[in-house]
Amino acid sequence: MKNEWILYALLLVMTLFGSLGSVLFKAFTANKQLKLLLAGFISYGLGALLNIYLLGQLPYTLVMPANALTFLWALIFAKLVFKETVGIEKIAGVAFIISGLLLLVW
């Protein structure tokens, strides 16, 4: 049971790395600093490697839908990093996505 929760935590980390890669790519488009592009590739790569590992440890029907968590990270990064407006509709949409993922886990 303990090991299973570690794998679920890795699912969160996997999606976080993927979303962070996108943030770094967007930052690169504004600043044209190669270190941002490189960091984006590394972050994406780590997310992909975790995805491959988790596909061997958890059911496909859990790992692939968990990629929808990137919507949560995107909402958080949009607000905190890019200072975008996040309305109630977007929050509700992400809440529905998370609710669906919780149903898959339990």
Side-chain angles (χ1 to χ4, degrees):
M1 184 70 170
K2 180 182 176 184
N3 188 37
E4 188 173 304
W5 286 105
I6 292 171
L7 294 173
Y8 293 154
L10 285 176
L11 276 174
L12 286 172
V13 173
M14 173 192 76
T15 60
L16 178 61
F17 277 135
S19 293
L20 183 59
S22 292
V23 169
L24 291 164
F25 290 152
K26 182 168 175 62
F28 169 76
T29 63
N31 298 327
K32 303 295 188 247
Q33 295 179 3
L34 285 179
K35 64 183 177 183
L36 292 172
L37 184 63
L38 179 61
F41 280 127
I42 291 170
S43 183
Y44 251 55
L46 289 172
L49 290 173
L50 274 174
N51 193 322
I52 293 166
Y53 171 74
L54 289 169
L55 283 169
Q57 302 299 313
L58 294 170
Y60 184 77
T61 55
L62 177 61
V63 176
M64 294 315 294
N67 283 303
L69 284 172
T70 58
F71 288 105
L72 170 65
W73 300 123
L75 201 69
I76 293 169
F77 286 136
K79 181 70 175 169
L80 297 179
V81 177
F82 301 115
K83 310 298 185 215
E84 294 180 10
T85 303
V86 176
I88 191 71
E89 297 88 1
K90 290 178 182 176
I91 293 170
V94 169
F96 279 116
I97 291 169
I98 292 171
S99 298
L101 291 173
L102 288 174
L103 287 173
L104 288 172
V105 172
W106 283 294

